[in-house]
Amino acid sequence: MIPDLQASFACEDVRVEAGGAHTIIGIINYIGAPSLPIQVIKLCVWTRWSSGMGQFEQMTRLVGPDDETILGTARTSFALTNEESHTTNVNIFGGVQFDHPGAHHVEILLDGEMKLRFPVRVVLPPSSVRAPGPTP
């Protein structure tokens, strides 16, 4: 039985507490870059699956704005033993370099089939163009 993908997002870090709970740090809406290229020391992708049964493989990919360049890939095998079980996978990408601005994508595949694709934008600050006028 194929599991449901409950949620997935990119964040700065995930801590697993002593009781097993996850503390999510810095959900990423975009990556602000003062200039390019920029290297992100740590980028995490948190994913939760439930309501399935069997052995599965999740592949998480970071894809460039050209939809061809793969910036990183992680594979995670997991098992769900009954319909009420769930699993949470955390993929950590270290030292990812972003060379271009725009919408990069996180892709979540289950056994080779795309289940989710969402953007992570790399944004440069607006150029500091001076208005015409007298120079001080």
Side-chain angles (χ1 to χ4, degrees), residues 10-79:
C11 58
E12 294 175 9
D13 201 4
V14 178
R15 288 190 300 218
V16 180
E17 306 300 336
H22 289 183
T23 298
I24 308 303
I25 300 168
I27 293 177
I28 296 172
N29 295 315
Y30 64 89
I31 297 169
S35 64
L36 293 174
I38 187 169
Q39 189 172 44
V40 175
I41 295 171
K42 187 176 190 181
L43 177 79
C44 299
V45 177
W46 185 96
T47 307
R48 182 175 168 114
W49 300 93
S50 70
S51 304
M53 202 160 67
Q55 293 276 43
F56 304 97
E57 182 181 70
Q58 172 185 323
M59 180 167 32
T60 305
R61 294 191 296 216
L62 301 176
V63 183
D66 62 1
D67 284 332
E68 293 180 17
T69 305
I70 304 296
L71 303 176
T73 301
R75 294 179 186 272
T76 306
S77 297
F78 65 95

Side-chain angles (χ1 to χ4, degrees), residues 74-130:
R75 294 179 186 272
T76 306
S77 297
F78 65 95
L80 297 171
T81 56
N82 60 60
E83 295 175 20
E84 291 85 31
S85 60
H86 66 273
T87 192
T88 303
N89 298 329
V90 178
N91 299 120
I92 300 171
F93 296 91
V96 178
Q97 182 168 304
F98 295 94
D99 295 327
H100 304 284
H104 296 66
H105 287 88
V106 174
E107 296 179 342
I108 307 295
L109 294 86
L110 183 69
D111 294 337
E113 183 180 328
M114 180 82 68
K115 293 296 180 181
L116 182 65
R117 183 174 195 259
F118 61 90
V120 173
R121 297 190 56 78
V122 174
V123 179
L124 292 168
S127 60
S128 54
V129 178
R130 294 182 121 213

